[in-house]
Amino acid sequence: MHEGQAQGTTRGTTRGKPALRPVVWRPPRRPARARAAYSRIPLPPVHRVPLDGTGPEDVRVDAEGRILTGVADGRILRLDPAGHRASAIADTGGRPLGLCPLPDGRLLVCDAERGLLRVDPASGRVETLLREAAGRPLRVCSNAVVAPDGAVYVTDASGRFPLRHWMGDLLEHSGTGRLIRYEPGADTAEVVFDGLQFANGVALAPDGSFLVVAETGAYRLTRLWLTGPGAGRRDVFADGLPGFPDNLSTGPGGLIWVAMAAPRQPALDLLHRTHPALRRAAWALPDALRPGPAATAWVIALDSSGRLVHDLQRPGRDFRMVTSVCEHDGRLYLGSLTERAVGVVPLSRGR
């Protein structure tokens, strides 16, 4: 889930928002976990590392243990391992979302307004790698990962709604998200598959045999096989999730971590099952009158077979709307769309 600056004109919109074209959908039954207030094992209290910026949407750790994140004003920030000092290493001029450190020290940045970028932290140089695929611009470039063969897989969350209006994509459920494969240095990029429901985080299996994409609007994780007899095949890695999956990361022990931005909303599920006119009416309401996501801090982790290993949640009083999670050196580093801080919690191996 994301926010950002509006793009485009107001033609064919409601109060500046793109017009909604709802698709009737029957969401999967809400699991018991979605109806529970919190998980059986709570997320430990979140230590806040303050920032002079809002919305560290994705958080990663570089080879030297430094924390990297991008904030709403376009800056890429780097914090020392102790989290005591933050410095700006670049400014994309847009809205950075997903980050992917590269072996040579540079950084891939998914910018919701500028596409796929490459940043040199040493010089601050920002290079544009990809602005469109298959003749269509990357409207919300969300996340990227580099496969063992060097190809970059990029998610484009929505072909209909700019970042500021991400909720419209969830309400409409038209499935215009894409997974794109880009060969560095190539002139074009391949759309591996489209029709994704708000394509969001992406992560590699520990052995590089497949990657997983979060479909936020479908409560689902979708898998693409990269190697073996099923290479190129798409299937479901985890379905019927109890909340909205956002960014993904692969931990040092091989677990795939999933940031759960918010629990599922019964009202939204009901709207999807009813006449599209009700969703258009809900979309026409001022943003302040629509219910927002529940205030919670929530992450889960799955093994390479899709089995749940960790389910950690706490009330969102000290940190809320977790949009990314990165495991490093016995800790979880948390990003958020709404906070002015990075969150840090210890990870107990006994959990």
Side-chain angles (χ1 to χ4, degrees):
M1 294 186 177
H2 307 299
E3 68 181 4
Q5 296 181 349
Q7 298 175 351
T9 68
T10 59
R11 183 178 178 182
T13 66
T14 300
R15 294 195 179 101
K17 298 182 289 191
L20 207 68
R21 305 169 188 167
V23 174
V24 175
W25 176 54
R26 295 194 64 82
R29 182 185 296 274
R30 286 198 307 142
R33 177 67 186 87
R35 296 188 291 271
Y38 298 104
S39 53
R40 182 177 60 85
I41 300 176
L43 184 74
V46 180
H47 170 67
R48 296 171 59 88
V49 180
L51 302 174
D52 66 339
T54 301
E57 199 270 347
D58 192 22
V59 175
R60 290 292 185 264
V61 178
D62 69 11
E64 297 182 35
R66 297 171 298 191
I67 305 165
L68 302 170
T69 191
V71 289
D73 63 12
R75 290 176 300 149
I76 306 297
L77 304 180
R78 183 170 63 196
L79 290 75
D80 65 37
H84 294 153
R85 186 178 69 255
S87 58
I89 59 173
D91 190 332
T92 70
R95 199 335 176 174
L97 298 176
L99 309 177
C100 179
L102 298 172
D104 64 3
R106 290 184 293 179
L107 181 68
L108 291 179
V109 178
C110 292
D111 191 291
E113 299 171 9
R114 296 193 55 203
L116 180 66
L117 312 176
R118 184 165 55 199
V119 169
D120 182 354
S123 66
R125 181 172 181 263
V126 178
E127 176 186 4
T128 300
L129 300 181
L130 189 66
R131 293 294 298 267
E132 65 172 37
R136 201 176 92 194
L138 275 67
R139 183 171 285 273
V140 185
C141 185
S142 183
N143 215 266
V145 71
V146 180
D149 66 358
V152 180
Y153 287 86
V154 186
T155 53
D156 183 21
S158 173
R160 290 261 301 125
F161 295 86
L163 184 58
R164 178 180 179 182
H165 297 307
W166 58 263
M167 188 62 196
D169 195 277
L170 301 190
L171 275 171
E172 182 173 273
H173 202 79
S174 54
T176 58
R178 304 182 291 173
L179 177 69
I180 297 162
R181 184 179 187 272
Y182 169 70
E183 294 269 5
D187 294 329
T188 60
E190 171 195 3
V191 177
V192 179
F193 44 75
D194 55 15
L196 299 177
Q197 297 292 343
F198 205 86
N200 210 324
V202 60
L204 274 173
D207 62 0
S209 61
F210 63 82
L211 60 79
V212 177
V213 179
E215 292 190 74
T216 303
Y219 317 122
R220 178 171 64 211
L221 304 180
T222 296
R223 173 169 50 193
L224 172 68
W225 289 95
L226 301 179
T227 63
R233 181 170 57 89
R234 165 184 173 180
D235 60 15
V236 174
F237 185 69
D239 203 2
L241 295 175
F244 293 91
D246 205 295
N247 285 326
L248 311 178
S249 66
T250 305
L255 295 180
I256 294 178
W257 285 96
V258 184
M260 302 291 277
R264 283 175 59 169
Q265 299 175 7
L268 180 60
D269 284 355
L270 178 62
L271 279 173
H272 278 300
R273 296 187 180 97
T274 55
H275 195 281
L278 292 179
R279 271 182 281 164
R280 283 194 289 267
W283 183 234
L285 291 172
D287 293 347
L289 296 183
R290 287 198 308 272
T296 186
W298 191 3
V299 300
I300 66 173
L302 310 173
D303 66 16
S304 57
S305 68
R307 181 181 66 90
L308 182 68
V309 177
H310 295 288
D311 181 352
L312 309 173
Q313 187 184 13
R314 68 181 292 104
R317 291 188 290 268
D318 47 6
F319 202 85
R320 62 178 294 180
M321 201 175 185
V322 175
T323 52
S324 67
V325 52
C326 177
E327 179 188 351
H328 176 73
D329 197 24
R331 298 180 180 87
L332 297 178
Y333 293 90
L334 310 179
S336 169
L337 186 66
T338 60
E339 298 287 354
R340 292 180 60 86
V342 167
V344 186
V345 298
L347 177 63
S348 171
R349 292 299 174 184
R351 293 184 182 277

